[in-house]
Amino acid sequence: MTGAASTTAVSGAQPEYTSDEMMSIAAARALENGKRCFVGIGLPSTAANVARRTHAPDLVLIYESGTLGSKPDVLPSSIGDGVLAETADAVIGVPEVFNYWLQPGRIDVGFLGAAQLDRFGNINTTVIGDDYTDPKVRLPGAGGAPEIAASCREVFVVVRQSARSFVDKVDFVTSVGHGSGKGDRERLGLPGAGPTLVITDLGVLRPDPETAELVLTQLHPGVEVEDVRAATGWDLQISPDLTRTEAPTAAELSTLRTLKEASR
Ligand SMILES: CC(=O)SCCNC(=O)CCNC(=O)[C@H](O)C(C)(C)COP(=O)(O)OP(=O)(O)OC[C@H]1O[C@@H](n2cnc3c(N)ncnc32)[C@H](O)[C@@H]1OP(=O)(O)O
Ligand SMILES: O=C(O)/C=C/CC(=O)O
């Protein structure tokens, strides 16, 4: 799949799907039933809602606006979307989300998006460019993501992979991943394990246990190692145990497409 793009159609014996759909479904599969997931808006929210409607009906979706156990039938347009409160088991105050649930380690997985990501899983969602006051692109900002990245027991990141997004050095560290390498989180006093999984439209990366540097561990169907290297701004390490992602099933695709259609 040379030059893979988010709209690339992938075909074979299974139904046709795009690389964006593969990414959302691979991200959904990573979420275990029964876990508590702090859901970021955008790609993470899509994946979390697919997970809840497929293999993980008891996945507890927590959004920053204070909704615990939301079961939206459409993809929420923001953390303030009424559907999150209307379908929640409980609605609590934002300080309670952060001070009671997040910071003491009561949330299993924080699920975040990114505009830029580096080899240690540090995330930029603030600015592109060297000058904060005069950036090339001003991004949505931090929101609660730095706290989520600090304190969830682990963090999953879902992001489209390209030389623009997978950079050697992020222009701004919005949310700390593994800092400058193994041991940095402990040094900084960050309680959670940090990014343990990065899911992209090309494959899946995990931190090396010795160095915390992201290593390619899984390739999506039709993607080759060289495609992933070309979409990475550092010398990407490849796992010796590289595996292939299973293509989306018809049921997974139908769930994803139905949700997206309902959210238009
Ligand atoms: C709990 C919480 O959710 S806290 C909220 C904190 N905020 C986040 O977590 C946001 C995370 N998501 C991001 O950062 C995403 O990259 C977003 C929102 C900036 C953009 O994502 P998408 O809407 O999927 O759009 P897309 O990736 O196509 O980018 C849209 C535009 O953003 C800009 N942009 C995004 N990433 C980059 C980048 N790495 N470099 C330069 N420009 C960029 C570009 O202008 C781009 O338009 P273009 O492709 O025509 O150049
Ligand atoms: O402010 C935040 O932390 C998150 C904002 C995302 C949203 O508005 O949906």
Side-chain angles (χ1 to χ4, degrees):
M1 188 201 276
T2 306
S6 60
T7 50
T8 305
V10 182
S11 58
Q14 272 102 358
E16 283 206 4
Y17 55 90
T18 67
S19 50
D20 244 24
E21 289 175 327
M22 180 73 260
M23 171 175 62
S24 292
I25 288 166
R29 288 174 185 164
L31 293 167
E32 279 178 48
N33 196 27
K35 297 277 183 178
R36 296 171 185 159
C37 178
F38 203 132
V39 188
I41 277 298
L43 296 173
S45 182
T46 303
N49 279 287
V50 170
R52 203 185 58 72
R53 285 165 163 253
T54 52
H55 66 281
D58 296 323
L59 180 68
V60 181
L61 305 189
I62 300 175
Y63 287 79
E64 196 180 324
S65 47
T67 59
L68 304 183
S70 289
K71 299 162 200 68
D73 50 5
V74 294
L75 294 172
S77 54
S78 81
I79 57 169
D81 194 319
V83 72
L84 293 175
E86 286 156 9
T87 61
D89 295 330
V91 181
I92 60 174
V94 172
E96 200 178 334
V97 175
F98 283 89
N99 299 344
Y100 178 81
W101 287 96
L102 179 60
Q103 286 161 351
R106 294 191 164 95
I107 300 190
D108 299 303
V109 182
F111 209 176
L112 295 174
Q116 284 184 330
L117 183 97
D118 70 16
R119 71 178 73 206
F120 294 116
N122 300 300
I123 290 173
N124 176 15
T125 59
T126 303
V127 285
I128 302 293
D130 295 335
D131 186 351
Y132 179 83
T133 58
D134 184 22
K136 289 189 196 137
V137 182
R138 188 166 292 284
L139 297 162
E147 289 295 331
I148 296 168
S151 297
C152 285
R153 290 185 194 160
E154 59 182 330
V155 173
F156 296 169
V157 186
V158 55
V159 54
R160 294 184 193 96
Q161 189 159 0
S162 69
R164 183 172 87 162
S165 59
F166 271 55
V167 292
D168 191 39
K169 187 171 183 303
V170 289
D171 292 347
F172 190 98
V173 180
T174 311
S175 306
V176 178
H178 296 286
S180 52
K182 182 79 179 166
D184 227 18
R185 289 186 67 88
E186 289 81 352
R187 188 179 63 75
L188 293 166
L190 301 176
T196 53
L197 203 58
V198 176
I199 303 113
T200 83
D201 51 342
L202 301 180
V204 176
L205 301 93
R206 293 179 172 81
D208 181 287
E210 303 298 323
T211 64
E213 180 172 329
L214 292 172
V215 173
L216 181 71
T217 57
Q218 201 172 316
L219 275 174
H220 296 332
V223 180
E224 299 306 329
V225 166
E226 287 321 306
D227 297 326
V228 190
R229 283 212 159 108
T232 307
W234 67 85
D235 183 16
L236 180 67
Q237 303 301 302
I238 314 296
S239 166
D241 304 315
L242 192 64
T243 60
R244 278 274 171 203
T245 313
E246 281 186 29
T249 65
E252 287 170 327
L253 280 172
S254 161
T255 302
L256 173 60
R257 288 172 185 173
T258 302
L259 256 180
K260 290 215 154 200
E261 195 57 42
S263 311
R264 279 181 210 283

